[in-house]
Amino acid sequence: MTSKLQEGILVGCGNPLLDISAPVPLKFLEDYGMNVDDAILAEERHMPIYRQLVEGYQAEYLAGGSVQNSLRIAQWILRQPNVAVFFGCVGQDDYADILREKARAAGVDAHYQVSPDTPTGTCAVLITGTHRSLCANLAAANKFTIDHLEQPANKALIDNAQYYYISGFFLTVNPPSIMRVAATANAKQRPFLMNLSAPFISQYFMEPLLAVMPYVDIIFGNEAEAHAFATAQGWPADLDLREIGKRLVALPKINSERPRIAILTQGCDPVLLIQHDKVQEFPVTRLAVHEIVDTNGAGDAFVGGFLAQYVQGKSLDVCIRCGNYAAGHIIKNPGCTYSGEPEFNE
């Protein structure tokens, strides 16, 4: 059992989405012009997906949204409610009620902004074997505004936090809110953590990503996301993941006292920890194919496990090992859900 942490020590901002998850044939992806392991924003042509999943397949509703997932996992490992505070926007509907209930049950202190005339966001999770493809219809999540963070009670929560985590996905919604949280973290000399989240963020939202990057103390990403960032930056095409990591940490940084750290995952290959010019590897326990339920939420769970130790002031290697533990656990469960008590030992 961890010693008692300050409530609200960790603040996260992101897109609260209800995952509608179902196993589908590959042809389903092809029909919608999607690829295996995609993560995309829904366009008009994708809109029928959600109803089709519910009506034609064994669909499950799971609490989703990348940051909220990470915070739920962190809370599960910490076993102390309300360590994590979450900000995001939902509609005024049943889906929002489900998300609220799931957050509360997990111990996350969710402070949703409500957009009464927009439905709560959904994410179609298309499971094909051990792969997952995501198609997010942000809907209400896209309506988040900075004035929600300026309400006195919410501003106090942000000011009192010691750690801040925001997904790259949130760059598509409200960059001013991200910059506000980043500036607060910087002014108070507190760690600001961010995630590259998906290749399309680097491809289409590089400007707001580069605007916030000088504030980022720890950047997370997987190999596809790191390569997409490198390509969008015009870096040499033959750079390996280690070199990309070194360049990520060398990007301009406002607080040079706290050099940036990059943590890059690569599926069942070792996690890379890049600090200065040094790269360390942390092995990942391979799962047998029959143990894998789906990989949806594995990256979110990795961050959740990491955060659970990081907010306790644990060393980076303990944080990463806990991230690997959490990701391995989530892969054996549907979506970003957990079962039983956490069994991580330092």
Side-chain angles (χ1 to χ4, degrees):
M1 186 71 187
T2 54
S3 57
K4 191 106 170 97
L5 288 164
Q6 169 197 322
E7 288 200 347
I9 197 171
L10 169 63
V11 159
C13 300
N15 301 327
L17 306 174
L18 191 69
D19 283 355
I20 304 174
S21 173
V24 298
L26 273 171
K27 183 173 183 323
F28 190 102
L29 295 186
E30 288 160 15
D31 289 349
Y32 283 102
M34 287 178 66
N35 303 309
V36 164
D37 285 331
D38 253 356
I40 63 169
L41 291 178
E43 296 164 27
E44 204 48 55
R45 63 191 171 125
H46 299 111
M47 289 308 171
I49 283 186
Y50 307 93
R51 171 165 291 213
Q52 202 180 338
L53 281 182
V54 172
E55 291 176 356
Y57 296 87
Q58 302 294 130
E60 276 190 282
Y61 292 97
L62 302 161
S66 178
V67 172
Q68 198 168 233
N69 281 345
S70 296
L71 298 185
R72 284 190 303 111
I73 299 302
Q75 284 289 167
W76 170 62
I77 291 170
L78 287 167
R79 309 187 209 197
Q80 177 197 327
N82 302 329
V83 172
V85 170
F86 176 77
F87 294 108
C89 189
V90 296
Q92 208 161 17
D93 50 24
D94 292 348
Y95 284 2
D97 294 340
I98 295 173
L99 284 181
R100 239 182 229 103
E101 179 41 47
K102 298 272 189 199
R104 193 181 301 116
V108 174
D109 185 17
H111 292 256
Y112 295 136
Q113 186 171 17
V114 176
S115 175
D117 49 357
T118 321
T120 295
T122 47
C123 182
V125 181
L126 311 172
I127 311 287
T128 50
T130 60
H131 298 276
R132 61 92 185 110
S133 302
L134 309 176
C135 182
N137 177 22
L138 297 183
N142 207 27
K143 301 284 189 179
F144 190 89
T145 55
I146 195 166
D147 53 337
H148 186 62
L149 300 182
E150 287 166 349
Q151 290 176 9
N154 294 340
K155 185 177 184 303
L157 288 167
I158 292 169
D159 287 342
N160 291 330
Q162 302 285 332
Y163 301 88
Y164 304 88
Y165 175 61
I166 299 185
S167 63
F169 289 127
F170 205 55
L171 288 164
T172 75
V173 172
N174 198 271
S177 294
I178 301 179
M179 298 306 286
R180 171 71 53 85
V181 174
T184 302
N186 182 58
K188 294 179 181 292
Q189 302 256 310
R190 293 170 185 172
F192 181 78
L193 295 79
M194 205 155 174
N195 204 313
L196 294 174
S197 291
F200 82 83
I201 299 296
S202 289
Q203 288 157 356
Y204 304 113
F205 296 90
M206 186 55 99
E207 197 178 329
L209 177 55
L210 285 182
V212 73
M213 192 62 86
Y215 293 92
V216 177
D217 294 304
I218 299 184
I219 184 81
F220 296 97
N222 66 24
E223 53 196 322
E225 293 153 7
H227 282 292
F229 185 91
T231 302
Q233 282 290 295
W235 294 347
D238 56 356
L239 286 186
D240 68 2
L241 201 55
R242 296 164 158 263
E243 285 307 313
I244 294 172
K246 287 179 185 175
R247 288 190 177 215
L248 272 171
V249 301
L251 289 168
K253 188 153 191 314
I254 284 172
N255 178 2
S256 52
E257 308 274 293
R258 199 203 300 263
R260 186 179 300 109
I261 293 164
I263 296 170
L264 303 177
T265 60
Q266 33 185 356
C268 56
D269 292 328
V271 175
L272 304 182
L273 166 64
I274 300 102
Q275 304 183 79
H276 308 291
D277 278 348
K278 249 182 39 230
V279 182
Q280 282 171 273
E281 293 193 357
F282 293 82
V284 172
T285 308
R286 274 178 186 266
L287 296 177
V289 171
H290 71 267
E291 292 182 284
I292 298 175
V293 174
D294 71 56
T295 52
N296 178 30
D300 299 338
F302 175 85
V303 173
F306 181 97
L307 288 170
Q309 304 304 324
Y310 192 63
V311 300
Q312 298 179 72
K314 297 291 169 69
S315 67
L316 289 173
D317 58 325
V318 170
C319 296
I320 289 172
R321 286 208 306 276
C322 190
N324 283 338
Y325 160 75
H329 180 90
I330 289 317
I331 289 170
K332 299 180 204 168
N333 289 275
C336 198
T337 59
Y338 42 82
S339 50
E341 291 292 313
E343 291 169 358
F344 174 71
N345 300 309
E346 286 179 40

